[in-house]
């Protein structure tokens, strides 16, 4: 049961302990002067609908949703933005006119904004995405719309194939096949496999990486994974996902309050403080 109901914005997930979202939203609240009482709530698996309904019945006005509940949030929403419909995954909910719950997905625009900030992406970039889970579902449409060509490499081939079938109407997207890519280097590699599963080194052949290949890890722990160390044998252009986290939060904040907060200084603060 939700014990406290004096907050009106929340993050729901499991686990949630190390989330930076409350700090980011408190920063946005101070910066814009918009009162925005944001709390993170760890909810038991299987109880998403109950907890989130209770929250919106009480003072809840908006919520962020993280793993593993983004698909449930997609089903929970009464209406969906176009990008949430395409992703079939929701990371932001908003109570609209006290009548219905709108579901949005700001992960993709969050990632794209950070890749542009870092100068990691160009219109025709050749991109390799590692993973084919919920996180990838949210980022494919914005990257394809930007003009990138995408290859997906995943432990379970059928999960990558499903995504390709779903998204190939939006641009050039294929399952990774090294025979198709002889002598080609990727411009950008994005690690979207789950945080605890980065032991998957040797997943890609170093011949596909040049010293100009950018590597973006959507996770944002400071510890360098085996995969990152492996990629760094060829390229040193690396970023973790802290900027993506800030930009997706800024876009959620915009959905809730119609004001887009400044992002640069909070990215700098968090970059220096992650563990
Ligand atoms: P998220 O919502 O964070 O994307 P997810 O939907 O569980 O979480 O997806 C996790 C991704 O990491 C999947 O692509 C998964 O591969 P499978 O489709 O084969 O399950 C990938 N992954 C998990 N453990 C992995 C491992 N040990 N090696 C390689 N990939 C792994």
């Amino acid at each position: 049961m939700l014990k406290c109901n004096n907050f009106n914005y929340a993050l729901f997930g499991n686990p949630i302990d190390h989330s930076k979202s409350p700090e980011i939203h408190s920063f946005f609240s101070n910066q814009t002067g918009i009162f925005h009482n944001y709390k993170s709530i760890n909810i038991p698996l299987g109880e998403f609908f109950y907890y989130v309904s209770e929250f919106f019945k009480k003072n809840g006005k908006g919520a962020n949703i993280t793993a593993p509940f983004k698909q449930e949030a997609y089903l929970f929403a009464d209406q969906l933005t176009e990008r949430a419909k395409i992703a079939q995954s929701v990371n932001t909910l908003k109570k609209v006119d006290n009548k219905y719950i709108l579901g949005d997905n700001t992960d993709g625009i969050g990632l794209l904004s950070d890749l542009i900030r870092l100068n990691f992406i160009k219109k025709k970039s050749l991109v390799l995405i590692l993973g084919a889970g919920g996180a990838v579902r949210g980022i494919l449409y914005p990257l394809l719309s930007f003009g990138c060509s995408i290859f997906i490499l995943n432990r379970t081939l059928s999960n990558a194939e499903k995504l390709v079938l779903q998204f190939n109407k939006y641009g050039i997207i294929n399952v990774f096949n090294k025979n198709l890519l002889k002598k080609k280097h990727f411009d950008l590699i994005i690690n979207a496999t789950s945080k605890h599963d980065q032991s998957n080194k040797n997943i890609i052949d170093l011949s596909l990486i040049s010293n100009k290949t950018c590597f973006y890890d959507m996770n944002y722990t400071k510890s360098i994974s085996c995969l990152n160390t492996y990629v760094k044998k060829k390229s040193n252009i690396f970023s973790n996902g802290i900027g993506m986290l800030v930009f997706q939060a800024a876009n959620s904040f915009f959905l809730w309050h119609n004001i887009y907060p400044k992002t640069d200084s909070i990215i700098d603060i968090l970059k220096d403080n992650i563990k």
Side-chain angles (χ1 to χ4, degrees), residues 38-254:
Y38 185 105
K39 185 179 150 83
S40 56
I41 301 166
N42 192 331
I43 52 179
L45 300 180
E47 305 224 11
F48 177 83
F49 274 66
Y50 170 74
Y51 272 77
V52 178
S53 303
E54 284 292 296
F55 169 72
F56 280 113
K57 268 187 221 153
K58 293 179 178 170
N59 288 337
K61 292 186 172 166
N64 281 137
I65 312 300
T66 190
F69 298 120
K70 290 182 188 182
Q71 299 272 288
E72 284 170 80
Y74 170 73
L75 298 174
F76 180 88
D78 302 312
Q79 289 192 27
L80 296 163
T81 61
E82 195 55 26
R83 59 193 179 192
K85 261 187 221 163
I86 292 170
Q88 296 180 5
S89 163
V90 159
N91 80 326
T92 307
L93 294 169
K94 177 185 180 177
K95 193 178 205 177
V96 181
D97 299 336
N98 236 354
K99 286 187 194 136
Y100 66 93
I101 306 296
L102 176 68
D104 192 10
N105 189 313
T106 66
D107 288 329
I109 187 71
L111 173 67
L112 188 59
S113 304
D114 201 32
L115 293 174
I116 291 169
R117 174 186 75 96
L118 293 160
N119 209 13
F120 272 24
I121 197 166
K122 295 194 181 70
K123 295 272 172 214
K124 301 266 176 202
S125 289
L126 185 64
V127 181
L128 177 68
I129 298 180
L130 309 177
V136 177
R137 197 167 264 296
I139 63 172
L140 288 178
Y141 177 65
L143 292 178
L144 289 169
S145 305
F146 191 73
C148 299
S149 300
I150 297 180
F151 283 85
I152 301 186
L153 173 58
N154 192 47
R155 180 178 59 177
T156 310
L157 178 66
S158 59
N159 289 343
E161 286 171 341
K162 270 185 218 146
L163 285 181
V164 168
L165 272 181
Q166 189 189 332
F167 284 90
N168 63 10
K169 55 177 163 289
Y170 303 112
I172 303 170
I173 178 166
N174 288 291
V175 170
F176 174 79
N177 177 342
K178 70 177 173 196
N179 298 324
L180 291 176
L181 286 169
K182 278 188 189 127
K183 296 198 180 129
K184 256 192 179 171
H185 292 145
F186 283 101
D187 300 307
L188 170 65
I189 298 173
I190 299 173
N191 179 28
T193 59
S194 5
K195 202 181 293 184
H196 48 281
D197 283 313
Q198 291 185 56
S199 53
N200 46 357
K201 70 168 180 169
N202 303 340
I203 189 171
I204 34 173
D205 194 312
L206 278 182
S207 67
L208 296 167
I209 304 170
S210 81
N211 59 0
K212 291 191 183 127
T213 301
C214 304
F215 182 72
Y216 192 93
D217 192 335
M218 283 169 49
N219 303 300
Y220 53 87
T221 49
K222 204 165 202 162
S223 57
I224 302 294
S225 70
C226 299
L227 177 64
N228 300 359
T229 311
Y230 179 69
V231 171
K232 280 182 176 181
K233 286 184 188 168
K234 273 304 227 358
S235 168
N236 248 328
I237 315 169
F238 168 84
S239 177
N240 66 27
I242 207 80
M244 174 182 178
L245 184 74
V246 170
F247 282 116
Q248 65 77 30
N251 282 281
S252 296
F253 193 91
F254 180 74

